[in-house]
Amino acid sequence: MTHTVVAVGREASFKEIVELLAQWKVSALPVLAGEGRVIGVVSEADLLRAEELRDADDEATARAGVPPDRVAAGGPTAGGLTTDGLTAGGLTAGELMSTPAVTVHPDATLPEAARIMARRRVKRLPVVDRIGLLQGVVSRGDLLKVFLRSDEEIADEVRRSVLIQLPVTTPLTVGVAGGVVTLGGSLPDRCLVPVLTRAVRAVEGVVDVRTELVHR
């Protein structure tokens, strides 16, 4: 995750949010309350949705024939529609944000974070501790950085963190090409094959796992 995070309070204005998104080249910002508790996220999509609502309110007001002075004062329109277009569309982070925020904990695995992003259709996840305080942000780019690891680094970690725990008398062989791990050798039990495959796939940077294993 990225530890240096730009965030806003619930009172941040529409323009302030737009400026921060442009300055930091991000698509969303956590919204914080109190000592840093994440209460929501405001994104480019939220800002555009607010603008869409404002346009819809303006059109409804015009169709209802409400005088401009009543619109400026925030008076009601015919049919019960609000005429305060800015308020209806949202002016502050607290009004604009999506809440509750979609977050992840620091100990979540990369596949878990990727699944959350895919299912909730978000590009960035605030990383929060057990009481909801912001610790950092993980983005799609952060998740993909692990695939920049060299084949040698991946092979070394597979040997050190996975294979060393196996109940085997003859070491297994490990080959890595383009992030794809190929395992060879003999296992005492065929039931270990799926367990071993899952463990190797969890190593950062592994694209896929192929097995050329025999078992007794």
Side-chain angles (χ1 to χ4, degrees):
M1 67 179 174
T2 301
H3 291 274
T4 302
V5 183
V6 58
V8 294
R10 65 167 76 236
E11 298 305 320
S13 71
F14 188 105
K15 187 170 182 178
E16 288 172 336
I17 297 167
V18 173
E19 289 174 344
L20 285 171
L21 291 175
Q23 177 184 347
W24 290 87
K25 295 180 174 59
V26 294
S27 58
L29 299 171
V31 182
L32 308 182
E35 298 299 318
R37 184 170 54 86
V38 178
I39 58 173
V41 172
V42 59
S43 67
E44 293 171 334
D46 294 321
L47 300 179
L48 293 173
R49 191 177 304 114
E51 284 299 298
E52 182 181 357
L53 288 173
R54 273 195 278 275
D55 287 344
D57 280 349
D58 289 344
E59 292 176 6
T61 298
R63 287 197 299 270
V66 177
D69 59 338
R70 292 194 66 196
V71 173
T77 69
L81 295 173
T82 179
T83 59
D84 188 348
L86 291 177
T87 300
L91 272 177
T92 66
E95 296 169 328
L96 293 160
M97 67 183 181
S98 298
T99 187
V102 181
T103 61
V104 68
H105 292 292
D107 58 353
T109 65
L110 292 180
E112 288 171 343
R115 280 195 297 272
I116 293 172
M117 285 186 182
R119 289 173 181 170
R120 302 302 294 271
R121 298 181 180 178
V122 295
K123 298 178 181 179
R124 294 163 59 84
L125 289 173
V127 182
V128 300
D129 63 16
R130 59 183 180 81
I131 60 174
L133 297 182
L134 184 65
Q135 304 296 303
V137 169
V138 62
S139 67
R140 291 176 178 176
D142 293 326
L143 297 184
L144 292 174
K145 283 178 185 176
V146 299
F147 295 105
L148 297 176
R149 297 184 76 188
S150 69
D151 291 342
E152 293 74 18
E153 286 180 290
I154 295 170
D156 183 57
E157 183 169 344
V158 169
R159 294 187 188 99
R160 288 186 295 103
S161 65
V162 179
L163 300 190
I164 197 171
Q165 303 180 47
L166 291 175
V168 295
T169 55
T170 304
L172 301 183
T173 62
V174 181
V176 185
V180 178
V181 178
T182 301
L183 302 172
S186 176
L187 287 175
D189 190 336
R190 67 183 303 168
C191 294
L192 289 173
V193 175
V195 176
L196 175 59
T197 301
R198 285 195 299 270
V200 172
R201 189 170 282 122
V203 171
E204 291 186 358
V206 171
V207 175
D208 198 6
V209 181
R210 297 173 182 171
T211 59
E212 297 176 355
L213 299 167
V214 295
H215 40 78
R216 306 184 188 98

